[in-house]
């Protein structure tokens, strides 16, 4: 199923993959259609949903919206790739179905990347995490001056896919998203991109991530193995053995976080211990984060890296959002 106009040539193509997202996809769609920058198209890729996702999207009678339904559930990477193949914009942006954007997200990001050097291929922004279980909010802004190639080859440190804006010309150079990865697909693609293109950070909170899902341990472990096969040698060759050890530790801790999120605390301990042998510093960061989450009643994700965090005490979203 594919509907949408073919003559429109936008500046930005927004790719929105969704799987069984009838409860949240409308919020994501609206946040795109309400952007202050109107020169865009929205490509919604239904990744084989079995719920009423298609019915929700069909409510939006909008010439800028294109809807595609895949026959089988193949994962975020495959859905994004399908959207990219249909995109016609000079830039391509991504939004997960359970996230949303501030109204000026694209406008400000286009201005930032447009004012950067010709070698810049991608841009990310700050983002707000809404931890649905506890009702807490936290702002995270990547450091615009960090060495992001080094950071990404040692840990998953940049913003998530919902903050990513890419020049269309980058994909033939870097490649598409790895369909073998059901997790870490953003991390993997960022590593490959930063090896050949520069990044610019728009240091403002312009996206909201609603975190309430528990990832599958099996999927995370399988993706972790494939991810290390792709990047461990590159990490060591580029930045040395210590960087490779931190990368190993980071992946072990991602598995441990998944186990903790699923209540499997005893199973997480050997992973944390193994990570400690690779990089005690990485484990100290995780344990510190877990203590904060326990104190606040929210044992969730500890996003590592060179980031600036600001807790938001008010459980409501400010009017500026």
């Amino acid at each position: 199923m594919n509907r949408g106009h073919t003559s429109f040539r936008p500046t930005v193509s927004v790719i929105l993959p969704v799987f069984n997202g009838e409860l949240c996809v409308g919020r994501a769609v609206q946040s795109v259609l309400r952007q202050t920058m109107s020169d865009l198209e929205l490509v919604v890729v239904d990744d084989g949903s079995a719920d009423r996702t298609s019915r929700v999207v069909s409510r939006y009678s909008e010439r800028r919206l294109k809807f595609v339904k895949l026959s089988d559930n193949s994962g975020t990477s495959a859905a994004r790739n399908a959207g990219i193949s249909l995109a016609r914009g000079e830039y391509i942006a991504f939004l997960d179905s359970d996230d949303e954007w501030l109204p000026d997200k694209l406008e400000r990001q286009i201005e930032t990347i447009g004012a950067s050097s010709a070698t810049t291929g991608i841009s990310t922004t700050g983002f707000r995490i809404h931890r649905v279980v506890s009702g807490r909010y936290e702002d995270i802004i990547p450091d615009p001056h960090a060495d992001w190639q080094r950071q990404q080859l040692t840990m998953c440190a940049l913003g998530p896919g919902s903050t990513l804006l890419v020049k269309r010309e980058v994909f033939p150079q870097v490649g598409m998203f790895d369909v073998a990865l059901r997790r870490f697909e953003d991390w993997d693609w960022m590593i490959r991109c930063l090896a050949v293109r520069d990044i610019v950070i728009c240091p403002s909170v312009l996206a909201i991530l609603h975190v309430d899902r528990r990832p599958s341990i099996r999927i995370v472990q399988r993706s972790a193995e494939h991810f290390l096969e792709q990047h461990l040698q590159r990490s060591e060759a580029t930045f040395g053995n210590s960087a490779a050890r931190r990368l190993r530790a980071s992946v072990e801790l991602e598995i441990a976080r998944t186990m903790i999120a699923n209540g499997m605390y005893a199973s997480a301990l050997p992973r944390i211990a193994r990570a400690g042998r690779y990089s005690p510093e990485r484990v100290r960061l995780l344990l510190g984060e877990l203590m904060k989450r326990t104190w606040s009643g929210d044992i969730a994700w500890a996003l590592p890296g060179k980031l600036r965090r600001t807790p938001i005490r008010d459980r409501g979203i400010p009017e500026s959002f």
Side-chain angles (χ1 to χ4, degrees):
M1 177 178 175
N2 182 348
R3 63 174 174 82
H5 296 268
T6 58
S7 59
F8 180 49
R9 291 293 182 268
T11 297
V12 183
S13 295
V14 180
I15 311 301
L16 198 164
V18 55
F19 173 67
N20 288 345
E22 62 175 296
L23 298 180
C24 59
V25 69
R27 178 181 61 198
V29 169
Q30 289 180 44
S31 78
V32 175
L33 298 180
R34 290 173 179 170
Q35 288 293 296
T36 56
M37 177 180 185
S38 61
D39 186 16
L40 62 84
E41 69 173 350
L42 171 59
V43 183
V44 179
V45 183
D46 186 338
D47 189 20
S49 296
D51 66 355
R52 295 179 297 176
T53 290
S54 60
R55 186 181 305 178
V56 172
V57 177
S58 68
R59 297 172 185 167
Y60 297 93
S61 179
E62 168 66 59
R63 67 180 291 270
R64 296 176 298 169
L65 191 152
K66 178 183 296 183
F67 180 79
V68 179
K69 186 173 178 63
L70 306 182
S71 58
D72 300 308
N73 175 241
S74 302
T76 300
S77 291
R80 285 180 178 172
N81 290 345
I84 293 168
S85 68
L86 296 171
R88 293 159 296 175
E90 178 185 356
Y91 298 91
I92 297 177
F94 300 94
L95 178 62
D96 291 342
S97 62
D98 46 1
D99 298 336
E100 60 182 307
W101 288 342
L102 270 69
D104 58 346
K105 190 263 188 186
L106 287 180
E107 182 178 1
R108 295 180 64 180
Q109 202 168 13
I110 289 290
E111 290 175 354
T112 300
I113 197 170
S116 62
S117 69
T119 59
T120 300
I122 57 175
S123 168
T124 63
T125 74
F127 53 99
R128 171 165 292 183
I129 294 181
H130 170 213
R131 304 187 191 280
V132 175
V133 173
S134 66
R136 291 176 62 86
Y137 294 87
E138 182 180 21
D139 287 354
I140 297 179
I141 299 179
D143 183 350
H145 307 295
D147 181 352
W148 284 113
Q149 185 185 8
R150 176 184 288 273
Q151 288 282 323
Q152 285 295 95
L153 268 173
T154 58
M155 64 185 74
C156 184
L158 266 174
S162 290
T163 68
L164 185 61
L165 178 75
V166 185
K167 290 181 179 178
R168 183 186 186 90
E169 66 192 45
V170 168
F171 286 101
Q173 185 178 12
V174 175
M176 305 289 267
F177 288 91
D178 188 343
V179 296
L181 291 171
R182 292 279 185 133
R183 296 284 292 185
F184 312 142
E185 68 278 353
D186 295 333
W187 189 3
D188 164 79
W189 192 87
M190 287 280 199
I191 287 176
R192 289 187 278 128
C193 184
L194 291 171
V196 294
R197 298 296 292 262
D198 294 332
I199 185 171
V200 63
I201 308 294
C202 187
S204 300
V205 174
L206 296 173
I208 307 172
L209 281 58
H210 301 278
V211 181
D212 64 347
R213 296 183 181 180
R214 295 181 177 181
S216 162
I217 294 173
R218 179 180 58 84
I219 288 176
V220 171
Q221 288 180 317
R222 185 175 298 174
S223 296
E225 293 174 0
H226 181 74
F227 178 85
L228 284 176
E229 288 177 0
Q230 299 298 311
H231 298 295
L232 189 61
Q233 289 185 352
R234 179 183 303 183
S235 179
E236 183 169 11
T238 306
F239 295 112
N241 180 258
S242 62
R245 292 179 65 85
R246 286 195 297 272
L247 183 63
R248 278 188 177 273
S250 296
V251 172
E252 290 289 347
L253 292 179
E254 290 296 330
I255 297 172
R257 288 188 185 94
T258 304
M259 291 175 172
I260 291 170
N262 283 276
M264 300 175 61
Y265 305 112
S267 299
L269 290 176
R271 294 286 183 174
I272 295 173
R274 189 179 305 170
R277 291 195 293 271
Y278 291 125
S279 176
E281 178 185 5
R282 297 290 298 114
V283 173
R284 286 195 295 270
L285 289 172
L286 172 68
L287 294 179
E289 192 71 22
L290 289 178
M291 289 180 65
K292 289 196 299 182
R293 296 284 173 245
T294 302
W295 181 259
S296 66
D298 178 24
I299 300 179
W301 302 106
L303 295 177
K306 198 169 183 181
L307 304 168
R308 183 168 78 250
R309 300 161 183 270
T310 305
I312 308 297
R313 293 186 179 181
D314 184 4
R315 289 173 180 254
I317 299 178
E319 291 182 1
S320 61
F321 280 74

